[in-house]
Amino acid sequence: MQPFHRPGDTPVHRLPAQVKIVTALVFVLCVVATRRTEFLAFGLYFAVLAGVWTVARIPPVWLAKRALIETPFVILALALPFVAGGPTVDVLGVAVSEQGTLAGWNILAKGTLGVLVSLTLAATTSPRDLIVGLQRLRVPAMVITIATLMLRYLEVIAAEARRMRTARICRGHDPRFLWQVGATARGIGTLFVRSYERGERVHLAMVSRGWAGAMPDDPRPVGRSAWLLGLVPAAVAAAVLVGVSL
Amino acid sequence: MSTSVAMHMSDGLLNATTSMLFIGVAVVGLAVAASRARATLDDRTAPMAGLVAAFLFATQMINFPVLPGVSGHLLGGALAAILVGPWVGALCVSIVLVVQALVFADGGITALGANITNMALIGTAAGFLVALALRGIAQRGRVGLVSVAFIAAVVNTVLASLGFVVEFAMGGETSFPLGAVAATVVGVHGLIGIGEGVITALTVGAVAAVRPDLVYLLRGTQRPLELRTAEGVAA
């Protein structure tokens, strides 16, 4: 799996996580609320994002590779012009549904912008900081506990899966690309129990060292200037939305 | 198109009004789940909840083929409900969906409300109610428990996909014939449900074999420890 976090020390990286989470949410809400025929607005949203990438020093190629996660949605968008009903228009000699083309464009544009916003947030904020950000946004402590343990246990599961694979190879298993899927599937219950028992030991060790469910946090309040600076992209997006809706 | 319905909804699939409505539904549902979950989360169940979430997260990344060109992934509501109970389970699935949307850009941020409503609230509730109704069979033995897990997972998947159909009817693209969408979505999820059922049954079976004390559905069924001495059963 490619890492989604890109460590750095730019103004975007330094912004408090909660500011970035709120900005990302507002920005995407503006994108979704935009009428699908306002093509200029989508271009402006993209320009705002490109500005953030410049400040955060994220290369477009780095983003493009990770944005491929969106591919299944794009396939749907490309199919829409051909499967939807209604009046048709000719494009390069092929009759395509007018409504379907617009619907496909709608999903493609909004989905792509949404993916790019999430990627920008993830690239500039480490998973730990995202959790601290949610904590500062008053997300219930229990949710934070589960989320923290989940991020920790992802590594545990991956490590146990590797160990089980090594053990299978030691016993004469010959893992090829697709054939190891069967063995992995049969061992999925064992993987779960092994991961749990290892996780339980780690958890008890953490509890005995004083962990009470919350991440250690800097108690200093966030200044107004950080909020003002961080909310600039959201404010621009809101202005664009208001501008095209009038 | 079926490729997409088998995954999380993305931004822009539902209009803003419907998205906001289901964000409201999700927030209310999660608030109820959080208040009820507090009583059940202790030192032993907290790592279990974290592991269930991590496990769902990892398995949701793997898409298994259902039909040519169509793939599905685990929804996990029934698995979470049977292992950690409905309240903590709903929270686990929701956390997975939120982190996927924020960190891995899988599923749209504004579609989160609808995704949580389908997979975390409807899915977990459906899976748990089925498991609860068949609890007598599940407690009879390993075969019973594994079959109940399978059935709960199939019902969870199909009902969660019906949630999507309702949301799509309320605020989706009107250029799609709703009947065809419903038939495709429910049909595909019937098949996904079989894969989901197999994974759920395997996992629940393995956990119950080694650590039956960790399976929420089996709580209160352990026989108290008997001390047997040469003279017979001691108190």
Side-chain angles (χ1 to χ4, degrees):
Chain A
M1 203 166 65
Q2 299 182 69
F4 284 86
H5 179 53
R6 193 180 149 83
D9 189 30
T10 67
V12 185
H13 284 84
R14 282 197 299 268
L15 273 179
Q18 68 271 37
V19 177
K20 285 188 270 190
I21 294 172
V22 171
T23 304
L25 264 174
V26 173
F27 192 94
V28 176
L29 278 174
C30 290
V31 170
V32 174
T34 309
R35 272 198 307 271
R36 60 192 184 185
T37 44
E38 302 290 349
F39 302 108
L40 176 67
F42 293 108
L44 289 174
Y45 292 140
F46 188 82
V48 173
L49 275 178
V52 175
W53 300 333
T54 316
V55 178
R57 299 213 191 97
I58 308 173
V61 178
W62 188 92
L63 278 165
K65 271 189 209 154
R66 284 155 183 81
L68 285 179
I69 202 163
E70 195 208 11
T71 317
F73 303 115
V74 180
I75 292 169
L76 165 71
L78 292 181
L80 272 174
F82 304 103
V83 295
T88 59
V89 286
D90 277 353
V91 179
L92 301 172
V94 182
V96 295
S97 154
E98 200 182 322
Q99 285 299 312
T101 310
L102 278 177
W105 153 256
N106 191 37
I107 295 176
L108 184 64
K110 292 179 179 175
T112 307
L113 283 167
V115 166
L116 290 174
V117 169
S118 308
L119 282 175
T120 311
L121 176 63
T124 56
T125 322
S126 72
R128 184 205 172 273
D129 286 342
L130 276 178
I131 286 178
V132 172
L134 291 174
Q135 201 167 298
R136 292 187 196 144
L137 288 174
R138 304 266 185 282
V139 173
M142 191 173 38
V143 174
I144 303 286
T145 306
I146 301 178
T148 316
L149 290 172
M150 181 187 97
L151 287 176
R152 296 263 181 286
Y153 287 169
L154 278 177
E155 301 288 328
V156 173
I157 291 178
E160 285 298 318
R162 275 198 299 276
R163 291 170 73 182
M164 285 170 66
R165 184 169 176 274
T166 310
R168 284 202 305 275
I169 295 170
C170 290
R171 285 158 181 78
H173 186 238
D174 181 17
R176 302 273 172 80
F177 174 62
L178 270 179
W179 283 261
Q180 60 181 331
V181 172
T184 311
R186 277 192 292 277
I188 202 160
T190 317
L191 175 64
F192 189 92
V193 174
R194 284 176 64 123
S195 306
Y196 174 76
E197 300 205 317
R198 191 167 156 194
E200 189 183 35
R201 290 198 297 275
V202 174
H203 180 73
L204 292 177
M206 282 161 72
V207 170
S208 64
R209 282 162 180 78
W211 190 67
M215 299 286 274
D217 189 16
D218 189 357
R220 273 178 301 179
V222 176
R224 191 170 293 168
S225 61
W227 277 104
L228 284 178
L229 189 68
L231 285 172
V232 165
V236 175
V240 170
L241 175 65
V242 173
V244 296
S245 304
L246 292 178
Chain B
M1 61 168 273
S2 320
T3 315
S4 135
V5 297
M7 301 202 32
H8 309 336
M9 272 180 261
S10 58
D11 286 318
L13 205 56
L14 298 178
N15 61 31
T17 327
T18 317
S19 302
M20 293 311 287
L21 175 69
F22 279 97
I23 287 175
V25 172
V27 167
V28 172
L30 289 183
V32 174
S35 67
R36 301 295 297 268
R38 204 159 287 142
T40 57
L41 210 65
D42 57 25
D43 276 354
R44 207 177 39 158
T45 47
M48 193 62 179
L51 186 71
V52 166
F55 194 73
L56 295 182
F57 197 100
T59 43
Q60 286 204 349
M61 292 265 164
I62 307 163
N63 284 268
F64 46 87
V66 182
L67 290 172
V70 180
S71 65
H73 65 63
L74 195 76
L75 306 185
L79 179 65
I82 292 175
L83 287 181
V84 292
W87 310 116
V88 182
L91 288 182
C92 287
V93 182
S94 314
I95 290 166
V96 171
L97 295 173
V98 171
V99 174
Q100 278 180 342
L102 286 183
V103 186
F104 296 90
D106 185 6
I109 292 180
T110 50
L112 255 181
N115 280 327
I116 288 178
T117 307
N118 293 343
M119 288 187 258
L121 301 182
I122 300 179
T124 312
F128 186 71
L129 290 177
V130 171
L132 202 62
L134 301 175
R135 199 171 170 180
I137 303 172
Q139 289 170 351
R140 237 174 258 170
R142 188 181 152 76
V143 177
L145 178 67
V146 167
S147 339
V148 168
F150 181 84
I151 297 167
V154 173
V155 174
N156 140 46
T157 315
V158 173
L159 283 186
S161 75
L162 280 177
F164 168 79
V165 173
V166 171
E167 284 145 22
F168 197 79
M170 289 171 67
E173 278 305 329
T174 45
S175 49
F176 260 135
L178 187 67
V181 170
T184 318
V185 172
V186 176
V188 165
H189 279 81
L191 291 171
I192 293 175
I194 297 173
E196 167 124 7
V198 170
I199 296 181
T200 306
L202 280 174
T203 311
V204 172
V207 177
V210 186
R211 295 284 300 269
D213 58 312
L214 293 176
V215 180
Y216 184 90
L217 194 66
L218 298 182
R219 268 191 200 173
T221 60
Q222 289 100 333
R223 281 187 298 171
L225 195 64
E226 276 181 12
L227 290 178
R228 291 188 184 176
T229 57
E231 291 81 47
V233 179

